[in-house]
Structures are given as C-alpha cells and as structure tokens.
Amino acid sequence: MTAGTHPRSGLPGELIMWVLIVSELAVFGAALLIFLVLRLGDPQGFAAAQDQLHRLSAGLNTMVLVTSGLAAALAVRAAEEARRAAARRWLAAAILLGGVFLALKGVEYADAARRGIGLETHVFFTFYWLLTLFHAAHVLAGMILLGIVAIRAQAEAVEAAGQFWHMVDLVWVLLFPVIYLL
C-alpha cells in the first residue's frame, strides 16, 4: 500500500465488472444445470457421446488456463506495485496461454467436425458445442481485454481485466469435469 491510500473495504474492483461476472456465471450455471438434468434422462447416450471427446487435451487445456490465471494474478500484483513492465510481461504470458488454449480447442473442434459431430448429433453435443464455443468466445474477449489494459498497465484496469480472466478460468474449471469427466 502506498502513502495516502486506504485499506479496501468490500469487493475489489469496479461494481460493473462484478455485475458482468455474476451475470456470465449465471448464464453458464443455468446451461450446466440444464445439461445435467438432461443427462439424467439419457445417461448411456451422454456417456457414449462423452467418450468421443479428447479428455487428455481438455485436461491439458485446464492446466494451461489455470496457469494463465496465475499469470494474470501476478500481473495484477505487479501493476499494484507500479511495476508496469512486469505487469505487461505477465499479461502477455496470460494472453499467450489463452492462445494455446484456443489452439488446442481448435484442434479438438476440427477433429469433431471431421468426424461429423455437430449440434444435432446428440443433445450432449448440442450443449458441448454451445458451452465450449461460448467459453472460447470469452477466452478471446479476455485476451483482447488483457491486451488493451497492457498498454498502460494501470492497476485498476489490470485488476478489472484480471477479474474477468479469473471468471473465464472458473467457468472452464466447472465445464471441464461436467462435460469431459462426469
């Protein structure tokens, strides 16, 4: 804490970012709940569909995205300490890892498409495509946001972008076991 600053009370960051995060979590949560309810009606069909996914790649992607979350957290710390160059490096690392995540998802999507797996193949795949593509769009948006705040690397902006990036991490940590493992 620098001279003249006061300890925080309440949530860190901007209220509008928290409203966005909570609303996005609600959307993903509702979709996952519907997915799980539908699974109860067709456990064999869901299991057979799930067996066609790339679990190893998805597990690797989980490690990649969680590591990118660590990089974003370190960027926030560096920005708070007015170490802008370090904040930019950590933001670049988070963006790079987000790109790795998207590349691995792209390979998975291409393989599924090559095998004729689409939105109408089975209800499992309808949710698989919608949830993972919606998440991938959030990863891309987060990468853009991280890149924008890296330009000036001001603490408040880096913190807000970091909050969004952690929401993206959290959503994947929820999607991964529900879609790939359960």
Side-chain angles (χ1 to χ4, degrees), residues 1-7 79-82:
M1 196 163 22
T2 60
T5 61
H6 302 285
E80 288 173 343
E81 295 170 354

Short mmCIF file of all heavy atoms in Angstrom, two decimals, residues 1-7 79-82:
data_model
loop_
_atom_site.label_atom_id
_atom_site.label_comp_id
_atom_site.label_asym_id
_atom_site.label_seq_id
_atom_site.Cartn_x
_atom_site.Cartn_y
_atom_site.Cartn_z
N MET A 1 0.85 -1.17 0.00
CA MET A 1 0.00 0.00 0.00
C MET A 1 0.89 1.23 0.00
O MET A 1 1.83 1.31 0.76
CB MET A 1 -0.90 -0.06 1.24
CG MET A 1 -2.04 0.87 1.14
SD MET A 1 -3.43 0.58 2.28
CE MET A 1 -2.81 -0.33 3.61
N THR A 2 0.57 2.17 -0.85
CA THR A 2 1.37 3.39 -0.94
C THR A 2 0.83 4.43 0.03
O THR A 2 -0.29 4.33 0.51
CB THR A 2 1.35 3.95 -2.37
OG1 THR A 2 0.00 4.25 -2.73
CG2 THR A 2 1.96 2.97 -3.35
N ALA A 3 1.65 5.44 0.29
CA ALA A 3 1.24 6.51 1.20
C ALA A 3 -0.01 7.18 0.66
O ALA A 3 -0.15 7.44 -0.53
CB ALA A 3 2.36 7.53 1.35
N GLY A 4 -0.95 7.47 1.54
CA GLY A 4 -2.16 8.16 1.13
C GLY A 4 -3.27 7.23 0.67
O GLY A 4 -4.36 7.68 0.35
N THR A 5 -3.03 5.93 0.63
CA THR A 5 -4.09 5.01 0.25
C THR A 5 -4.70 4.41 1.50
O THR A 5 -4.09 4.40 2.56
CB THR A 5 -3.58 3.88 -0.67
OG1 THR A 5 -2.60 3.14 0.04
CG2 THR A 5 -3.02 4.43 -1.96
N HIS A 6 -5.88 3.92 1.34
CA HIS A 6 -6.60 3.36 2.48
C HIS A 6 -6.87 1.90 2.21
O HIS A 6 -7.02 1.49 1.06
CB HIS A 6 -7.91 4.11 2.69
CG HIS A 6 -7.72 5.58 2.91
ND1 HIS A 6 -7.26 6.08 4.09
CD2 HIS A 6 -7.89 6.64 2.09
CE1 HIS A 6 -7.17 7.41 4.00
NE2 HIS A 6 -7.54 7.76 2.78
N PRO A 7 -6.96 1.10 3.27
CA PRO A 7 -7.29 -0.31 3.06
C PRO A 7 -8.64 -0.44 2.37
O PRO A 7 -9.53 0.39 2.56
CB PRO A 7 -7.33 -0.90 4.46
CG PRO A 7 -6.91 0.16 5.41
CD PRO A 7 -6.82 1.44 4.67
N ALA A 79 1.14 -4.64 -11.25
CA ALA A 79 0.54 -3.34 -11.54
C ALA A 79 0.26 -2.57 -10.25
O ALA A 79 0.48 -1.36 -10.19
CB ALA A 79 -0.75 -3.52 -12.34
N GLU A 80 -0.20 -3.26 -9.22
CA GLU A 80 -0.45 -2.61 -7.93
C GLU A 80 0.84 -2.06 -7.33
O GLU A 80 0.81 -1.07 -6.60
CB GLU A 80 -1.11 -3.58 -6.96
CG GLU A 80 -2.55 -3.89 -7.30
CD GLU A 80 -3.15 -4.98 -6.44
OE1 GLU A 80 -2.39 -5.75 -5.79
OE2 GLU A 80 -4.39 -5.09 -6.42
N GLU A 81 1.94 -2.70 -7.62
CA GLU A 81 3.25 -2.26 -7.12
C GLU A 81 3.91 -1.28 -8.09
O GLU A 81 5.10 -0.97 -7.93
CB GLU A 81 4.15 -3.47 -6.87
CG GLU A 81 3.62 -4.37 -5.78
CD GLU A 81 4.36 -5.70 -5.68
OE1 GLU A 81 5.23 -6.00 -6.55
OE2 GLU A 81 4.07 -6.45 -4.74
N ALA A 82 3.17 -0.82 -9.08
CA ALA A 82 3.65 0.13 -10.10
C ALA A 82 4.84 -0.42 -10.89
O ALA A 82 5.66 0.34 -11.40
CB ALA A 82 3.97 1.49 -9.48
#
